[in-house]
Amino acid sequence: QVQLVESGGGLVQAGGSLRLSCAASGRTFSRYVMAWFRQAPGKEREFLTRINWSGGNTYYADSVKGRFTISRDVAKNTVYLQMNRLKPEDTAVYYCAAGREGSSLDYWGQGTQVTVSS
């Protein structure tokens, strides 16, 4: 059973940084894609970025390109989201997701709250 557990959320002032972690377990992820999403109150879930577990190829939504960086530590089975120059509009619950390459994202974490104060 695949499990994804996010951590690292919290309260930060605008302009600050946070690093989220997503610890993955339950299988090997060599042909998986790991992704980060967020959902703000009253809004739809928004895709942010993804990374291919094997090759490390990344893709970013325009809304976070240049400010957020996704990475993975294969030895620790952990995916990270480094968030810099945070803005109040980045306030949301952040979710980690995983799925086989070319397929849907079948596995989701429980989310971690990020609050950016102005």
Side-chain angles (χ1 to χ4, degrees):
Q1 180 74 10
V2 173
Q3 279 196 314
L4 304 175
V5 180
E6 301 99 333
S7 61
L11 175 64
V12 63
Q13 287 190 331
S17 299
L18 278 176
R19 189 178 78 158
L20 305 183
S21 300
C22 172
S25 62
R27 63 162 296 118
T28 57
F29 295 93
S30 58
R31 294 188 181 276
Y32 270 61
V33 171
M34 313 295 285
W36 286 96
F37 289 74
R38 69 185 177 189
Q39 188 165 21
K43 294 189 177 181
E44 293 186 355
R45 189 169 292 185
E46 176 190 12
F47 166 79
L48 301 177
T49 179
R50 62 164 171 79
I51 187 167
N52 289 75
W53 190 264
S54 295
N57 295 327
T58 59
Y59 179 82
Y60 294 90
D62 287 343
S63 59
V64 301
K65 196 176 296 182
R67 294 192 301 127
F68 291 8
T69 303
I70 190 171
S71 62
R72 87 267 191 253
D73 185 326
V74 174
K76 295 182 178 179
N77 260 16
T78 300
V79 177
Y80 302 99
L81 183 65
Q82 177 67 43
M83 305 186 295
N84 298 326
R85 304 198 307 277
L86 284 162
K87 308 173 183 178
E89 52 264 44
D90 292 319
T91 295
V93 178
Y94 284 69
Y95 296 92
C96 176
R100 294 179 184 273
E101 291 177 0
S103 187
S104 59
L105 295 169
D106 293 328
Y107 305 102
W108 292 80
Q110 81 289 351
T112 186
Q113 176 71 47
V114 172
T115 302
V116 184
S117 63
S118 57

